[in-house]
Amino acid sequence: NSQLTLIMIDIDFFKEYNDHYGHHEGDMALHSIAQEIKKNLPRTTDIVARYGGEEFVVLMPATSSNGAYTVAESIRTGIKALGITHRYGTGSHVVTISLGIASLSGKALNEDDLLESADNALYIAKQKGRNQCCIYGA
């Protein structure tokens, strides 16, 4: 009955990054971002995986949305602090990420609803201007 939390992460304006810097630089950025995400996960039970082109997901068992928000903010600020130059499509001139967070537990827990809720939260983070975290339903 404990909560399972999913953080969905999207690199802001990554298509523009690849278009201007090339796919090799894009791959290098993805690698750096993946390492930074992993570095910010507090427990060995927390899992990061690439989910599509420029998206990642983090699974955090026995973690509330609020607990995951703290981790998500750490990841977000860590990615920005990497200082990966991105002068196309962003206001900050460095690579940033948007994050959507969702938690489910008990009988309500199923992978489809968890994924959809995290994706909806990510969409809201992007609508609000990107480079931020959003908890589903908050």
Side-chain angles (χ1 to χ4, degrees), residues 1-5 103-111 113-114:
N1 287 326
S2 66
Q3 290 183 319
L4 178 63
T5 297
S103 295
L104 292 175
S105 62
K107 292 181 182 187
L109 178 57
N110 72 73
E111 64 272 10
D113 289 345
L114 187 61

Side-chain angles (χ1 to χ4, degrees), residues 66-86:
N66 290 332
Y69 184 87
T70 301
V71 173
E73 267 299 303
S74 244
I75 293 169
R76 187 189 66 76
T77 58
I79 299 300
K80 189 171 182 181
L82 289 174
I84 301 169
T85 301
H86 188 353

Side-chain angles (χ1 to χ4, degrees), residues 9 30-49 56-58 60 71 74-75 78-79 82 97:
I9 303 167
L30 286 169
H31 179 76
S32 296
I33 290 165
Q35 294 303 312
E36 185 65 24
I37 294 168
K38 186 176 180 183
K39 183 176 97 174
N40 281 282
L41 298 181
R43 304 170 302 181
T44 58
T45 55
D46 300 332
I47 299 167
V48 61
F56 293 88
V57 292
V58 174
M60 301 183 74
V71 173
S74 244
I75 293 169
I79 299 300
L82 289 174
I97 59 173

Side-chain angles (χ1 to χ4, degrees), residues 10-70:
D10 185 68
I11 303 171
D12 296 329
F13 303 106
F14 194 68
K15 180 187 181 319
E16 291 81 356
Y17 186 92
N18 266 340
D19 288 349
H20 288 92
Y21 296 105
H23 290 284
H24 176 72
E25 286 299 315
D27 288 346
M28 299 299 289
L30 286 169
H31 179 76
S32 296
I33 290 165
Q35 294 303 312
E36 185 65 24
I37 294 168
K38 186 176 180 183
K39 183 176 97 174
N40 281 282
L41 298 181
R43 304 170 302 181
T44 58
T45 55
D46 300 332
I47 299 167
V48 61
R50 190 162 169 202
Y51 183 76
E54 73 257 15
E55 290 187 329
F56 293 88
V57 292
V58 174
L59 278 173
M60 301 183 74
T63 305
S64 69
S65 295
N66 290 332
Y69 184 87
T70 301

Side-chain angles (χ1 to χ4, degrees), residues 91-110:
S92 68
H93 302 297
V94 296
V95 168
T96 60
I97 59 173
S98 298
L99 303 94
I101 303 161
S103 295
L104 292 175
S105 62
K107 292 181 182 187
L109 178 57
N110 72 73

